[in-house]
Amino acid sequence: MKNLFIVIPCYNEEKKLLTSEIVDFVKQSSAKIIFVNDGSTDKTLEKLEEIKEQIPDNIHIISNAKNIGKGNSVREGVHLALKDVCCEYIGYFDADLSAPLDEASRLSQIAIKENKGFIMGSRVALFGYQIKRKPLRHYLGRIVATIISLYLKMQVYDTQCGAKILKREFAARVFKDPFLSRWLFDVEILRRLQMDMGNLDEVVKEVPLNVWIEKGESKLNFLDLIKVPIDLVSIMIHYRKI
């Protein structure tokens, strides 16, 4: 899909980047990938440059001198994608490809078929699907999702899944301003859309992923977990004032 751009934020992903999978996907789909190296202290940047050497026309790299967080790194990548007039759909996926890049093609096709502005991949463990998550992270995720659903006054199963696709015009709206939160920027995206459009049923669709296989340890440490409810309160206060 030539008009699809995928933003992949990277922080110390040297050992997790799947070069062959990325290269094969790009060659088959003609999609373009924008990697945002977010102040990595390992050899992530060198690994990204190796990938770019194999498919230079379809790989772009942004490298931040210091770590600015996942949300604002994705925002940097989206802004670069928007500069290309051929860009019609923009996705963002996690660097470890817990959701394989084939899901990006599938989600974008759903966006086209159903004329939705924002397609959210969702990690729902259904029969016949490959969804593998650690139990603790799953249950913590359900608690967070319940709180977020109450805040947004809409049923959302999985706001934090790192597999999403947006139409160009919607990406331009929700990524215009920097995000408050490093980890809950997805909630801010929904809130921005909600404030802009009201009822989101016509523009947002949550789609169960076919595959999500959790890999490695989360970058969320104990201090980050403490900050999550603080960030959510900050989001509530900030967007109530606008």
Side-chain angles (χ1 to χ4, degrees), residues 40-89:
S40 296
T41 56
D42 64 359
K43 295 182 179 179
T44 293
L45 182 57
E46 288 91 329
K47 191 78 175 285
L48 295 178
E49 289 171 342
E50 290 174 7
I51 296 172
K52 182 175 175 61
E53 285 179 4
Q54 298 186 53
I55 37 176
D57 293 338
N58 293 72
I59 299 292
H60 301 276
I61 300 172
I62 298 171
S63 191
N64 297 330
K66 62 180 182 179
N67 183 269
I68 63 172
K70 182 178 179 180
N72 286 314
S73 291
V74 172
R75 179 174 175 267
E76 287 186 329
V78 169
H79 281 199
L80 180 59
L82 290 170
K83 292 179 180 179
D84 193 314
V85 295
C86 296
C87 171
E88 294 183 24
Y89 290 89

Side-chain angles (χ1 to χ4, degrees), residues 35-213:
F35 290 103
V36 184
N37 175 42
D38 191 23
S40 296
T41 56
D42 64 359
K43 295 182 179 179
T44 293
L45 182 57
E46 288 91 329
K47 191 78 175 285
L48 295 178
E49 289 171 342
E50 290 174 7
I51 296 172
K52 182 175 175 61
E53 285 179 4
Q54 298 186 53
I55 37 176
D57 293 338
N58 293 72
I59 299 292
H60 301 276
I61 300 172
I62 298 171
S63 191
N64 297 330
K66 62 180 182 179
N67 183 269
I68 63 172
K70 182 178 179 180
N72 286 314
S73 291
V74 172
R75 179 174 175 267
E76 287 186 329
V78 169
H79 281 199
L80 180 59
L82 290 170
K83 292 179 180 179
D84 193 314
V85 295
C86 296
C87 171
E88 294 183 24
Y89 290 89
I90 303 173
Y92 56 94
F93 274 59
D94 289 342
D96 63 5
L97 300 187
S98 293
L101 289 171
D102 288 343
E103 291 282 18
S105 295
R106 186 174 74 91
L107 296 181
S108 60
Q109 290 299 328
I110 292 172
I112 294 169
K113 182 179 179 180
E114 301 196 18
N115 193 30
K116 298 291 186 180
F118 187 22
I119 300 292
M120 302 170 55
S122 186
R123 297 164 290 190
V124 185
L126 301 171
F127 182 76
Y129 291 68
Q130 289 184 276
I131 306 297
K132 297 180 181 179
R133 301 185 67 192
K134 292 181 180 178
L136 178 59
R137 292 178 69 178
H138 168 72
Y139 291 117
L140 284 173
R142 298 311 316 130
I143 293 170
V144 172
T146 300
I147 295 170
I148 291 169
S149 292
L150 291 171
Y151 162 56
L152 294 172
K153 297 180 181 178
M154 59 183 289
Q155 290 298 316
V156 183
Y157 183 83
D158 189 3
T159 59
Q160 303 312 111
C161 177
K164 296 183 172 71
I165 299 288
L166 297 95
K167 272 188 178 180
R168 177 190 183 95
E169 57 267 35
F170 287 89
R173 289 182 190 180
V174 298
F175 284 95
K176 180 181 178 181
D177 298 317
F179 294 105
L180 299 176
S181 173
R182 296 173 68 90
W183 299 106
L184 296 179
F185 73 99
D186 305 88
V187 179
E188 293 187 66
I189 288 175
L190 286 170
R191 185 61 180 136
R192 290 175 182 184
L193 276 176
Q194 196 176 50
M195 295 177 73
D196 191 22
M197 308 192 69
N199 185 3
L200 298 184
D201 289 342
E202 294 183 3
V203 296
V204 178
K205 184 177 180 68
E206 199 168 8
V207 177
L209 294 174
N210 286 333
V211 179
W212 176 282
I213 300 176

